[in-house]
Amino acid sequence: MKDEAVPKLISTYGTPTSTDKKAQYKAKLMALPVTISGVSTTSESGNSLNCIATINVKVPTELNELANKTPHVYASYIQASHAIDKNGELAWKNIHYSIMLSDNGKDISVDTEDMIATMDTLAKSATLAVDKDDILKLYDPKNVDLAKSDFTVVDNELNKIWKAIPPSFRTSMKFSQVDWIYQKESQCGTIQQANNNSVSVLDRVQIFKCQTSMTKEQIKYLGGGNYN
């Protein structure tokens, strides 16, 4: 089961192209405690057994900090696992699998189709554990303050340029400016959302960054120059 989970080791937080990082993911995955209990078997044929069991996986200790500081990340991880979370252990009950003895009478093959969620969770557990520090940095509330500061600078600059436009010309541009504001909010999200503490840090940062980028483009348009 762990071997089949290895190809699923793809992280959106770390550097999956790094050979060293991939090795860390694999080592963490292989070290995860997995237990199988309550196994019942029925014989389908002379070389095949149908089995039902409960699979338990211990949640890596690194994820405790994620649960405390980025609860939405941890909640998403638990939800995607389709498992029962109890006392730091994930459990999948009534997992069906079959074991077949090969023709040589020595090797066996296991049908793991019903274990896909478990294998996905093993891979995710490993990547989250290894990438814990990267995730915490990504969701650091200070990132919101930095992104908001950058937006405030360009927003103030846009307001200065807008006020400097001759009143008659400004009146003729009013509708297009309002339309641009609606487009910006539709594409980026609103500043109200960016200031909402119930919205995730990452989403708030992305809203501010998107707003900043579009505001810079509008400054170029209205000011007739470049704004970096």
Side-chain angles (χ1 to χ4, degrees):
M1 187 167 59
K2 289 183 178 181
D3 287 337
E4 292 192 28
V6 170
K8 301 174 182 290
L9 289 170
I10 301 174
S11 174
T12 57
Y13 302 101
T15 53
T17 55
S18 165
T19 301
D20 180 61
K21 184 58 74 77
K22 286 181 179 179
Q24 292 179 52
Y25 291 155
K26 184 175 180 180
K28 176 59 70 173
L29 189 155
M30 291 302 178
L32 291 174
V34 179
T35 58
I36 299 178
S37 60
V39 180
S40 63
T41 62
T42 57
S43 179
E44 184 177 274
S45 63
N47 64 343
S48 177
L49 291 175
N50 288 330
C51 306
I52 302 176
T54 295
I55 301 177
N56 293 80
V57 175
K58 187 73 174 176
V59 176
T61 56
E62 292 91 340
L63 270 61
N64 292 334
E65 192 171 358
L66 290 183
N68 292 329
K69 296 182 179 179
T70 57
H72 59 287
V73 173
Y74 187 79
S76 177
Y77 156 74
I78 294 298
Q79 184 177 9
S81 72
H82 301 291
I84 299 171
D85 178 23
K86 186 176 181 180
N87 299 325
E89 191 167 85
L90 302 179
W92 292 262
K93 295 184 177 181
N94 299 319
I95 297 297
H96 293 253
Y97 60 98
S98 61
I99 300 176
M100 295 185 64
L101 187 65
S102 63
D103 294 336
N104 63 19
K106 296 180 181 180
D107 300 321
I108 63 170
S109 62
V110 180
D111 177 7
T112 58
E113 184 176 351
D114 204 26
M115 301 179 185
I116 292 177
T118 305
M119 293 187 291
D120 286 342
T121 302
L122 285 170
K124 192 64 176 178
S125 298
T127 55
L128 287 176
V130 172
D131 290 342
K132 180 203 68 174
D133 291 339
D134 292 330
I135 297 169
L136 293 177
K137 289 178 183 178
L138 188 63
Y139 287 97
D140 188 336
K142 292 179 181 178
N143 295 336
V144 176
D145 296 332
L146 292 173
K148 182 176 182 177
S149 177
D150 290 341
F151 167 74
T152 300
V153 170
V154 296
D155 188 53
N156 288 339
E157 180 66 20
L158 178 61
N159 288 332
K160 289 179 182 178
I161 292 174
W162 179 253
K163 291 177 181 179
I165 295 174
S168 59
F169 188 47
R170 191 165 62 224
T171 299
S172 68
M173 294 183 63
K174 182 177 180 180
F175 289 109
S176 63
Q177 183 71 2
V178 170
D179 184 57
W180 171 77
I181 292 172
Y182 282 128
Q183 289 181 20
K184 179 163 62 76
E185 290 183 344
S186 175
Q187 182 172 326
C188 302
T190 67
I191 295 301
Q192 288 76 12
Q193 291 172 317
N195 286 319
N196 188 341
N197 290 330
S198 66
V199 177
S200 76
V201 167
L202 188 59
D203 287 341
R204 294 172 68 192
V205 168
Q206 289 175 336
I207 291 172
F208 275 126
K209 286 186 175 181
C210 180
Q211 287 261 355
T212 299
S213 177
M214 291 192 67
T215 302
K216 286 181 178 180
E217 291 300 318
Q218 190 69 353
I219 288 173
K220 292 179 183 178
Y221 172 71
L222 293 177
N226 293 323
Y227 188 92
N228 297 319

